[in-house]
């Protein structure tokens, strides 16, 4: 019994578009056979296994480490401590925010589960066994766990490794015009204030982080198979940090089992594996377990945001200001462009036409794991959108106005684009009201409000939540944006083979987004070669041009533009060759997506495949044209792209148990030109499920002694098929004016836009209790407390 | 100790440490890396295999416990170059993105459809609720399984006519 027929609702033509359209994924045939190649699948001859010993304390001085018993284990090859690394000058490494982070602790441990030593052994189990044989003596210190008191003078100083450091302060940052904003607040009819917490969460990809390091002894060549979203950036950082020659480093990111930002940073485990292979001369594998992933790798959010919104009594929003306390953990490991220590939080003005806005922020160290930008947040836009969409709902509550109506009254109008916000961001394009109206129509908004009113009469708790978000994705431009001095641009190379098949090489790397399909479609759209004839090569620094990688929804806005432009460059050359073949001038040719024909005489034409053979074949080419049909470019975006969307969530809350059921979720997204609608829908769906997790289920929590309470998937809850509804999605299309194909990026829109819609819905359901705000995660116990008037912030 | 079982229709007999987990036996010792590992605590279900036709999380089962049983992994779904309809369904309905949870999801789907050829959406959601997917938000997985059920039904009708 088998099936090879296409789905009945999709015609064969739709399944095989030349260019954009629904196209089944090129990645799938290997993945559905279990023939993917993930890092932990890699087995090399003689490969050893590395396991990391971690600190049980959040804050403690290391008195001594005795590794003799571990070294005596018959299957142990090496045991390395922080002191061993320090002797080689490798105990510390730079973070992506120009701070330093311990590879292995030497002086102190600064968060629970920090890396203290590692073991290399012949097999996975022996390496773990030997960890228990290492004896570390600690002198515990008071842990700093409360972001609100981290700057108190009496608080212990975490980063005494930094010269002259006498407090836990990292940076202050502000944006907007404080005086102008305060002046608007002074004259406003209505001012609403709320403290809004975005708790610490974790991306928790299905595949944890890990690598296989293989240093070839004679040549010194390092090959690192690694769970990285940014292979080129990693290679350069290794070269700069460890002094390894860059041309002797090859980073291979094979299939990646989800990233969501978790696989952007360089983790101590990677460095340990490289050092181990270098020292031992054999390949070394390190794969963290789930607990290690949750307790030590890149977390997200952890912002305490005091927000004020000013408006007229008719509901015209005038200004927003915010004062943020940011918990960055023990090392400032935020992945963000250098000039943007708070990421793109400056877009907190949202989708509204304000008179003024101001934000200030203080970032502090605590004895928690480092990180700070991850979980599909588009560089802190998740926090910004949550802030504005929550405080707008608080305003609606105070004005006793419908939250959808309030938004419609204040959304930016199409003729205002490009729109410069009061914090200096230039939104490229937008047509917001149709998206909002479409979502309301899909939801049957007015009918839902009637149903809610009836239910309230009966004491039933039903909530309707609305959010409207604008994202900023696709970093650079490089003049403004770099990470550790590396400009945020991306290269792309296209080579058309003599028979008209092609290979396109990308600097970005899929972790499930479907680049092998989407990028083949972009090239196909521009040059008319069927997508199945275009191979997409990525995730290998030896075989792809330099670029900054996949995160912040930047693949389509940056690398997608590069793919389109490099293809146009090849097409321009093809046109010159075609003019020679048809013996007409270039201007007499017209392009028909796959062939050039003579204007007015379509019978005279050559296909791109004919041209490819000519480019490589016998005979002369037009004057000045070299053989071959290929090109390479590096694309530097002139601006970010600004996707947007309108989301509506409907929840029912059980008044007896406080269990929240997400009944419906309606998402209308606008990501500009749509390359593959099937993949776009998939990206949206995944982000919506993320939103359910963050809004209702998950938080990386700590006790006052610094113990991480969320170190397994029994404690850190992720939505299953039971907590998530069947998503209702649709779209509008407002192309980006500066992107060559008008596309904007979609990978994180739903993760950004869905949490406020869900929280707004739950708060709306609790309106009969007089509730105006409640902090995530809105678990049954926290909803219950809120119903009893006992709501407390989660941190 | 020696353990003997059937994997994807083939008898295997291997010397193992008694504490060896089934997932590591399958992946590291037999080299069948389509079965993935994700959490250690039976929460994520990326390690699901079928034992005597029932979905089992292989990260919390000793290899020794599978002795004498019939184990099926994702590599056993395709037979003689012919895909299982559930594999086709996942491709047709975009039921996977990164592909890491996919083998376990497909095997659970196979077991479900073998016992219930026409499950409701609710039943499908319940069946996969012991497994986590971070990419798809589940709707397309549900649709993939529905597609498979519909297609298997039409094939059955076709072959009986």
């Amino acid at each position: 019994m088998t099936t090879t027929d296409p789905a009945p609702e999709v015609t064969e033509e739709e399944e095989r578009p030349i260019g954009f359209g629904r196209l089944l994924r090129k990645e799938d045939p290997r993945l559905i056979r279990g023939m993917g190649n993930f890092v932990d699948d890699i087995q090399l001859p003689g490969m050893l296994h590395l396991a990391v010993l971690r600190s049980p304390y959040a804050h403690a001085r290391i008195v001594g480490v005795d590794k003799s018993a571990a070294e005596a284990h018959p299957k142990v090859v090496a045991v390395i401590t922080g002191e061993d690394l320090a002797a080689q000058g490798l105990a510390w490494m730079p973070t992506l925010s120009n701070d330093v982070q311990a590879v292995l602790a030497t002086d102190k441990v600064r968060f629970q589960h920090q890396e203290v030593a590692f073991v290399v052994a012949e097999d996975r189990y022996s390496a773990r066994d030997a960890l228990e044989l290492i004896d570390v003596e600690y002198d515990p210190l008071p842990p700093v766990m409360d972001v609100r008191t981290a700057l108190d003078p009496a608080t212990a100083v975490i980063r005494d490794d930094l010269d002259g450091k006498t407090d836990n302060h990292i940076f202050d940052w502000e944006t907007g015009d404080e005086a102008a904003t305060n002046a608007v607040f002074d004259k406003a009819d209505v001012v609403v204030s709320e403290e809004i917490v975005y708790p610490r969460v974790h991306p928790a990809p299905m595949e944890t982080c890990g690598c296989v390091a293989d240093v070839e002894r004679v040549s010194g060549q390092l090959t690192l198979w690694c769970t990285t979203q940014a292979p080129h950036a990693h290679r350069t950082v290794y070269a700069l940090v460890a002094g390894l020659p860059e041309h002797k480093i090859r980073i291979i990111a094979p299939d990646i089992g989800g990233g969501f930002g978790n696989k952007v940073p360089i983790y101590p485990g990677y460095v340990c594996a490289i050092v181990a292979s270098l020292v031992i001369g054999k390949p070394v594998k390190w794969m963290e377990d789930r607990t290690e992933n949750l307790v030590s790798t890149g977390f997200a959010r952890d912002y305490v945001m005091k927000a004020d919104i000013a408006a007229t009594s008719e509901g015209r929003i005038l200004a927003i200001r915010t004062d943020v306390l940011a918990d960055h953990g023990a090392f400032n490991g935020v992945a963000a462009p250098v000039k943007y220590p708070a990421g793109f939080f400056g877009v907190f003005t949202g989708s509204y036409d304000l008179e003024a806005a101001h934000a200030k922020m203080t970032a502090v160290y605590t004895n928690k794991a480092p990180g700070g930008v991850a979980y599909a947040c588009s560089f802190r836009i998740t926090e910004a959108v949550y802030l504005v969409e929550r405080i707008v709902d608080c305003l609606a509550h105070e004005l006793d106005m419908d939250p959808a109506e309030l938004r419609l009254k204040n959304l930016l109008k199409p003729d205002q684009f490009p729109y410069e916000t009061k914090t200096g961001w230039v939104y490229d394009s937008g047509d917001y009201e149709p998206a909002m109206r479409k979502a309301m129509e899909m939801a049957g908004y007015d009918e839902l409000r009637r149903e809610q009113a009836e239910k309230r009469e009966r004491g039933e708790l039903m909530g309707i939540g609305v959010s409207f978000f604008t994202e900023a994705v696709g970093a650079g431009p490089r003049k403004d944006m770099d990470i550790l001095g590396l400009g945020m641009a991306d290269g792309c190379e296209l080579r058309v083979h003599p028979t008209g098949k092609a290979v396109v090489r990308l600097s970005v790397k899929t972790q499930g987004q479907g680049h092998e399909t989407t990028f083949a479609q972009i090239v196909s759209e521009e040059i008319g070669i069927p997508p199945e004839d275009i191979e997409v090569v990525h995730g290998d620094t030896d075989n792809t041009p330099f670029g900054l990688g996949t995160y912040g929804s930047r693949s389509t806005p940056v690398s997608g533009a590069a793919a389109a432009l490099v293809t146009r460059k090849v097409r321009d050359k093809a046109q010159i060759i075609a003019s020679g073949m048809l013996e007409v001038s270039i201007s007499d040719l017209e392009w028909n997506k796959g062939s050039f024909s003579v204007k007015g005489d379509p019978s005279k034409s050559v296909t791109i495949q004919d041209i490819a053979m000519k480019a490589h074949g016998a005979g002369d080419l037009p004057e000045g044209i070299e053989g071959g049909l290929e090109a390479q470019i590096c694309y530097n975006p002139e601006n970010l792209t600004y996707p947007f969307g309108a989301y509506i969530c409907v929840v029912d809350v059980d008044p007896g148990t406080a269990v929240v059921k997400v009944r419906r979720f309606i998402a209308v997204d606008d990501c500009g030109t749509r390359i593959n609608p099937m993949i776009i829908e998939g990206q949206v769906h995944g982000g919506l499920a993320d939103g359910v997790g963050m809004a209702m289920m998950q938080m990386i929590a700590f006790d006052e002694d610094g113990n991480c309470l969320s170190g397994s998937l029994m404690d850190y809850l992720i939505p299953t098929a039971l907590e998530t509804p069947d998503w209702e999605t649709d779209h509008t299309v407002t192309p980006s004016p500066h992107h060559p194909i008008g596309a904007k990026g979609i990978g994180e829109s739903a993760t950004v836009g869905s949490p406020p819609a869900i929280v707004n819905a739950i708060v709306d359901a609790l309106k009969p209790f007089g509730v105006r705000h409640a902090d995530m995660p809105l678990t049954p116990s926290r909803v219950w407390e809120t119903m009893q008037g006992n709501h407390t912030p989660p941190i | 100790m020696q353990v003997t079982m059937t994997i994807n229709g083939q008898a295997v007999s291997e010397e193992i440490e008694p504490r060896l987990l089934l997932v590591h036996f399958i992946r590291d010792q037999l080299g069948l890396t389509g079965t993935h590992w994700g959490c250690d605590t039976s929460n994520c279900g990326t390690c699901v295999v079928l034992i005597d036709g029932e979905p089992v999380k292989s990260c919390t089962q000793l290899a020794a416990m599978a002795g004498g049983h019939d184990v099926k992994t994702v590599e056993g779904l395709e037979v003689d170059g012919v895909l299982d309809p559930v594999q086709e369904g996942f491709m047709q309905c975009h039921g996977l993105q990164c592909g890491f949870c996919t083998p376990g999801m497909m095997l659970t789907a196979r077991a479900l459809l073998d016992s219930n050829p026409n499950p409701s959406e609710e039943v499908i959601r319940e069946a996969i609720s012991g497994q986590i997917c971070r990419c798809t938000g589940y709707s397309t997985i549900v649709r993939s399984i529905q597609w498979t059920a519909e297609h298997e039904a039409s094939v059955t009708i076709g072959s009986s006519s």
Side-chain angles (χ1 to χ4, degrees):
Chain A
M1 184 177 63
T2 183
T3 167
T4 50
D5 296 344
E9 68 272 20
V10 180
T11 66
E12 192 171 333
E13 197 173 302
E14 286 168 315
E15 290 277 287
R16 299 167 63 85
I18 305 290
F20 302 158
R22 186 184 198 270
L23 178 72
L24 297 190
R25 298 199 325 160
K26 291 158 72 94
E27 291 89 341
D28 289 355
R30 69 173 183 271
L31 294 171
I32 54 107
R33 287 174 170 87
M35 291 170 70
N37 184 34
F38 297 91
V39 167
D40 199 23
D41 300 346
I42 292 163
Q43 300 276 8
L44 300 178
M47 188 177 77
L48 302 171
H49 294 262
L50 186 150
V52 174
L53 181 73
R54 294 174 183 277
S55 164
Y57 293 102
H59 199 191
R61 204 159 291 287
I62 295 176
V63 180
V65 182
D66 180 358
K67 59 181 184 177
S68 54
E71 285 176 324
H73 188 290
K75 291 194 172 175
V76 166
V77 179
V79 183
I80 306 285
T81 66
E83 273 192 24
D84 298 330
L85 287 188
Q88 306 296 320
L90 292 170
W92 294 84
M93 63 179 190
T95 70
L96 295 178
S97 286
N98 284 313
D99 193 357
V100 290
Q101 173 175 358
V103 177
L104 294 176
T106 49
D107 52 342
K108 287 203 306 191
V109 290
R110 294 176 169 84
F111 66 95
Q112 192 190 37
H113 302 298
Q114 186 182 335
E115 300 80 1
V116 174
F118 68 80
V119 168
V120 182
E122 290 172 17
D123 64 81
R124 216 187 271 271
Y125 287 19
S126 298
R128 297 249 159 192
D129 289 344
L131 293 183
E132 296 180 18
L133 302 174
I134 302 173
D135 188 16
V136 185
E137 189 183 339
Y138 295 97
D139 180 12
L141 297 166
V144 181
M145 304 313 296
D146 184 351
V147 66
R148 297 167 205 270
T149 59
L151 291 179
D152 288 356
T155 304
V157 177
I158 299 165
R159 295 300 303 280
D160 47 1
D161 58 294
L162 301 173
D163 278 345
K165 194 74 184 154
T166 56
D167 60 23
N168 294 315
H169 181 265
I170 305 177
F171 66 79
D172 291 318
W173 170 86
E174 71 175 317
T175 186
D177 186 331
E178 185 170 23
T181 305
N182 290 343
V184 174
F185 269 86
D186 289 343
K187 68 164 193 190
D189 301 336
V190 184
V191 173
V192 179
S193 302
E194 195 68 72
E195 184 187 91
I196 296 169
V197 176
Y198 210 135
R200 178 176 281 233
V201 292
H202 194 279
M206 293 299 294
E207 178 204 35
T208 58
C209 300
C211 68
V212 176
D214 186 15
V215 180
E216 210 280 305
R217 268 191 128 156
V218 178
S219 67
Q221 170 82 33
L222 162 67
T223 306
L224 186 74
W225 289 264
C226 186
T227 51
T228 172
Q229 300 175 214
H232 288 279
H234 276 206
R235 181 180 61 175
T236 304
V237 173
Y238 289 127
L240 294 172
V241 175
L244 296 169
E246 199 165 4
H247 64 299
K248 298 280 190 184
I249 306 173
R250 180 182 183 187
I251 310 284
I252 301 173
D255 284 319
I256 304 269
F260 317 110
N262 191 228
K263 292 166 181 168
V264 174
I266 290 175
Y267 294 120
Y270 303 155
V271 179
C272 292
I274 294 169
V275 170
S277 183
L278 197 60
V279 170
I280 299 165
K282 287 187 174 179
V284 174
K285 178 187 280 186
W286 169 68
M287 277 310 295
E288 64 187 8
D289 65 23
R290 177 56 61 189
T291 297
E292 293 179 289
N293 179 252
L294 287 170
V295 300
S296 72
T297 63
F299 75 94
R301 329 287 193 251
D302 222 344
Y303 271 16
V304 176
M305 306 179 280
K306 286 185 182 145
D308 306 313
I309 189 167
T312 66
S313 50
E314 291 80 34
R316 166 96 178 86
I317 302 171
L318 302 174
I320 298 174
R321 65 187 173 203
T322 182
D323 187 353
V324 181
L325 198 48
D327 186 340
H328 283 227
F331 308 101
N332 185 18
V334 169
V338 169
K339 287 187 195 166
Y340 300 85
F344 299 168
F345 186 77
V347 301
F348 70 94
T349 56
S351 315
Y352 312 109
D353 187 13
L354 307 181
E355 289 182 11
H358 180 252
K360 58 182 175 181
M361 179 181 295
T362 299
V364 301
Y365 291 117
T366 61
N367 287 118
K368 300 179 189 173
V373 165
Y375 209 171
C377 74
S378 303
F379 295 125
R380 300 286 194 194
I381 290 176
T382 322
E383 292 92 322
V385 165
Y386 183 66
L387 172 87
V388 57
E389 289 306 289
R390 192 77 272 289
I391 197 69
V392 164
D393 251 41
C394 292
L395 175 65
H397 182 103
E398 285 308 307
L399 294 172
D400 198 22
M401 218 172 144
D402 183 276
E405 187 193 333
L406 178 60
R407 285 176 172 82
L408 282 167
K409 206 181 185 87
N410 287 282
L411 287 175
L412 291 166
K413 303 284 185 283
D415 60 7
Q416 291 179 279
F417 291 89
Y419 175 79
E420 184 170 355
T421 72
K422 291 295 181 280
T423 48
W425 301 77
V426 181
Y427 293 2
D428 59 343
S429 65
D431 192 358
Y432 292 173
E433 187 173 333
M436 187 71 187
R437 297 271 181 210
K438 191 171 211 169
M440 291 171 72
E441 192 181 320
M442 286 167 68
Y445 190 78
D446 295 339
E447 180 52 37
L448 286 170
R449 285 290 175 203
R450 274 194 289 277
E451 180 193 347
Q452 181 185 43
E454 286 170 23
K455 287 196 160 157
R456 279 193 180 149
E457 291 287 316
R458 298 198 297 267
E460 294 176 38
L461 303 177
M462 168 187 168
I464 304 155
V466 178
S467 73
F468 196 101
F469 65 90
T470 301
E471 267 215 286
V473 304
R478 67 194 303 164
K479 69 179 165 54
D480 297 323
M481 296 175 193
D482 66 272
I483 289 185
L484 289 181
L486 301 174
M488 300 190 78
D490 279 85
C492 192
E493 183 205 289
L494 175 66
R495 190 177 297 175
V496 182
H497 302 308
T499 59
K501 316 292 185 190
V503 57
V504 60
R505 300 173 191 278
L506 316 177
S507 56
V508 291
K509 169 66 200 171
T510 185
Q511 312 117 47
Q513 298 94 329
H515 288 23
E516 291 166 34
T517 310
T518 305
F519 281 81
Q521 290 185 266
I522 294 172
V523 173
S524 174
E525 176 76 19
E526 296 293 336
I527 206 161
I529 296 172
E532 61 264 32
D533 289 349
I534 301 164
E535 186 70 16
V536 176
V537 176
H538 61 153
D540 180 349
T541 53
D542 267 13
N543 287 303
T544 56
F546 185 87
L548 269 259
T550 295
Y551 43 85
S553 299
R554 66 188 299 282
S555 289
T556 299
V558 187
S559 208
L565 292 178
V566 79
T567 311
R568 287 176 193 176
K569 202 169 173 182
V570 167
R571 196 177 70 201
D572 287 345
K573 180 175 179 181
Q575 185 167 6
I576 297 171
I577 297 171
S579 76
M581 293 167 79
L582 295 168
E583 298 180 329
V584 294
S585 73
I586 294 167
S587 58
D588 287 334
L589 291 172
E590 62 186 7
W591 172 244
N592 315 298
K593 204 175 181 180
S595 64
F596 282 104
S597 60
V598 177
K599 284 178 185 167
D601 187 0
S603 68
K604 287 186 179 165
S605 86
V606 285
T607 66
I608 188 71
Q609 289 82 5
D610 298 333
I611 298 166
M613 186 55 85
K614 179 72 182 175
H616 295 87
D620 280 337
L621 295 170
E623 182 80 25
I625 293 295
E626 293 176 3
L629 194 56
E630 58 195 65
Q632 179 166 347
I633 68 158
C634 184
Y635 176 74
N636 174 30
E638 65 176 70
N639 187 11
L640 298 163
T641 65
Y642 293 79
F644 57 90
Y647 290 177
I648 297 176
C649 177
V650 184
V651 301
D652 296 297
V653 181
D654 186 319
T657 63
V659 169
V660 178
K661 175 80 182 165
V662 178
R663 188 206 305 177
R664 292 178 66 195
F665 199 105
I666 295 94
V668 174
D669 275 278
D670 193 321
C671 59
T673 303
R674 294 160 65 83
I675 299 161
N676 185 327
M678 178 187 84
I679 286 178
I680 291 170
E681 185 188 47
Q683 294 292 293
V684 172
H685 283 193
L688 297 176
D690 280 350
V692 171
M694 290 181 283
M696 295 167 53
M697 300 168 71
Q698 59 196 211
M699 172 178 170
I700 298 287
F702 297 85
D703 69 14
E704 60 192 17
D705 295 324
N707 296 304
C708 181
L709 305 176
S710 312
S712 80
L713 296 182
M714 289 185 288
D715 310 292
Y716 186 77
L717 302 183
I718 290 171
T720 74
L722 294 180
E723 288 83 32
T724 48
D726 193 27
W727 314 107
E728 302 169 54
T729 57
D730 207 336
H731 62 278
T732 58
V733 176
T734 311
S736 169
H738 64 84
H739 189 282
I741 60 173
K744 285 188 171 183
I746 189 67
E748 300 164 313
S749 287
T751 316
V752 166
S754 60
I758 298 166
V759 173
N760 288 348
I762 297 171
V763 170
D764 184 50
L766 302 181
K767 200 172 182 182
F769 298 88
V771 176
R772 192 179 77 179
H773 175 69
D775 282 315
M776 303 183 281
L778 288 167
T779 58
S781 68
R782 291 179 57 76
V783 172
W784 181 259
E785 286 167 2
T786 305
M787 288 161 67
Q788 311 307 314
N790 296 328
H791 183 79
T792 52
I795 51 175
Chain B
M1 66 177 284
Q2 194 77 15
V3 65
T4 302
M5 66 185 82
T6 307
I7 299 234
N8 300 328
Q10 286 202 312
V12 296
S13 189
E14 293 270 328
E15 182 67 28
I16 60 165
E17 267 192 84
R19 65 173 174 167
L20 184 65
L21 294 171
L22 181 57
V23 66
H24 290 140
F25 176 69
I26 291 169
R27 287 179 51 79
D28 297 347
Q29 201 148 337
L30 302 181
L32 295 171
T33 55
T35 301
H36 298 142
W37 166 91
C39 77
D40 283 328
T41 49
S42 289
N43 292 96
C44 83
T46 190
C47 63
V48 162
V49 298
L50 301 185
I51 298 187
D52 302 330
E54 289 293 321
V56 169
K57 289 171 177 169
S58 62
C59 79
T60 28
Q61 165 118 218
L62 296 171
M65 293 160 72
H69 292 277
D70 183 19
V71 178
K72 186 170 187 169
T73 69
V74 63
E75 288 90 349
L77 281 172
E78 182 184 19
V79 179
D80 296 334
V82 177
L83 291 180
D84 188 290
V86 82
Q87 293 174 300
E88 195 71 47
F90 271 68
M91 284 200 292
Q92 292 292 340
C93 299
H94 194 29
L96 67 151
Q97 290 181 29
C98 79
F100 205 74
C101 75
T102 314
M105 287 286 183
M106 291 192 303
L107 287 164
T108 296
R110 183 70 269 148
L112 170 68
L113 294 172
D114 284 346
S115 64
N116 180 355
N118 187 25
S120 65
E121 180 186 337
E122 204 179 340
V123 167
I124 293 171
R125 285 183 177 272
E126 178 74 34
I128 60 170
S129 67
Q131 287 160 261
I132 291 170
C133 171
R134 300 292 282 135
C135 298
T136 66
Y138 304 105
S139 281
T140 55
I141 293 179
V142 172
R143 286 180 211 164
S144 301
I145 298 171
Q146 287 170 328
W147 186 97
T148 309
E150 284 163 24
H151 196 84
E152 289 184 331
S154 69
V155 168
T156 307
I157 291 162
S159 59
S160 64
S161 62

